[in-house]
Amino acid sequence: MAVASFVLGLLGLLVLNLFLGPVAIVLAGLALWRGTTRRGRALLGLGLGVADLVVLAALVSMDNTVSWSLAG
């Protein structure tokens, strides 16, 4: 679960951050609660999940929509 949260958090920075961010946070929390041996990876997944939501909030505040594109 720790590795999955890391991968989903990393992918969430690029696409579907509205869905992948919270999933990464939940998976990281579950991995930490269960006492994973990959604690660092779970913490990275947690941080990336939070970063997904921060990036989404910043982009939404710039153009007042939930969708965004690289074209401008």
Side-chain angles (χ1 to χ4, degrees), residues 45-72:
L46 182 66
L48 286 171
V50 171
D52 291 346
L53 297 178
V54 169
V55 166
L56 178 66
L59 292 172
V60 166
S61 70
M62 287 189 330
D63 63 357
N64 296 325
T65 63
V66 177
S67 62
W68 59 278
S69 68
L70 296 175

Side-chain angles (χ1 to χ4, degrees), residues 4 19 37 63:
F19 300 109
T37 58
D63 63 357

Side-chain angles (χ1 to χ4, degrees), residues 12-49:
L13 287 174
L14 302 173
V15 294
L16 295 173
N17 47 3
L18 180 63
F19 300 109
L20 295 180
V23 171
I25 292 170
V26 168
L27 285 176
L30 284 173
L32 290 171
W33 183 67
R34 289 185 177 183
T36 183
T37 58
R38 297 177 184 248
R39 184 171 169 80
R41 195 73 47 97
L43 290 173
L44 281 173
L46 182 66
L48 286 171

